[in-house]
Amino acid sequence: MTDTSEQNRNQSPDSAQESSARRPTRRGGGGAGTRGRTTIADGVVEKIAGLAARDVFGVHAMGSGMSRTFGAVRDRVPGNTKSVSRGVKAEVGEVQTALDLEIVVDYGVSIADVARDVRENVVAAVERMTGLEVVEVNIAVSDVKLPDEEDDEPEPRIQ
């Protein structure tokens, strides 16, 4: 015992660090929250972004005219739910994501203001819910909804 304690007293700080590095580390290393990997599908980010974009005043609909028409038909199928990710495309990496949105704005609103508000809302929602860094949100305004235009989505036959 005296030999070991005498050795420890005579060790330099560097050699003490080396001996502690050789000691086995505790199993599991770190907290439970750091063990394993979390992956987030593109569709998850697309849904979050779609809902966040629709919440902005001045956004009438999402997607191009053709995708809205197909979506309206698809929505009429019994048991099918409305597509919240229509008009949204996401590319998701391990720590970052990039989004492309296609929107229809209401006539009379400032397109620049709506686009800015959509970007802010989408970035905040996606980063808060996923922890991913949003590197860009590209917005394409594909149409303007005029007050006297009918909606592309037909009225349901039953009330």
Side-chain angles (χ1 to χ4, degrees):
M1 183 164 158
T2 55
D3 293 340
T4 309
S5 60
E6 194 172 288
Q7 274 182 327
N8 288 341
R9 271 186 263 136
N10 293 334
Q11 283 182 342
S12 68
D14 290 338
S15 61
Q17 286 176 350
E18 288 174 2
S19 67
S20 68
R22 282 180 263 159
R23 280 188 230 140
T25 57
R26 196 178 72 191
R27 273 201 176 175
T34 60
R35 298 180 198 170
R37 209 173 88 173
T38 302
T39 57
I40 300 171
D42 293 359
V44 172
V45 174
E46 289 169 356
K47 283 183 179 183
I48 294 167
L51 289 170
R54 282 176 173 77
D55 283 345
V56 174
F57 173 78
V59 174
H60 178 75
M62 301 288 295
S64 66
M66 188 61 78
S67 72
R68 290 194 326 269
T69 301
F70 284 128
V73 171
R74 199 174 38 246
D75 292 343
R76 292 187 66 167
V77 174
N80 201 0
T81 59
K82 198 169 195 174
S83 175
V84 295
S85 60
R86 184 184 314 145
V88 183
K89 177 68 180 131
E91 292 180 38
V92 180
E94 289 187 25
V95 294
Q96 295 178 326
T97 186
L99 296 152
D100 295 320
L101 281 72
E102 191 169 0
I103 65 173
V104 176
V105 297
D106 291 320
Y107 177 79
V109 299
S110 166
I111 293 174
D113 290 346
V114 170
R116 183 196 63 237
D117 294 346
V118 166
R119 250 185 217 99
E120 289 174 358
N121 211 31
V122 166
V123 167
V126 170
E127 287 185 346
R128 178 179 52 81
M129 292 183 70
T130 66
L132 295 168
E133 176 191 8
V134 178
V135 293
E136 67 181 10
V137 178
N138 299 313
I139 298 173
V141 179
S142 62
D143 201 0
V144 174
K145 167 67 170 77
L146 300 175
D148 58 344
E149 278 183 332
E150 288 186 29
D151 281 338
D152 288 341
E153 298 181 16
E155 290 291 319
R157 293 190 304 173
I158 54 176
Q159 301 265 335

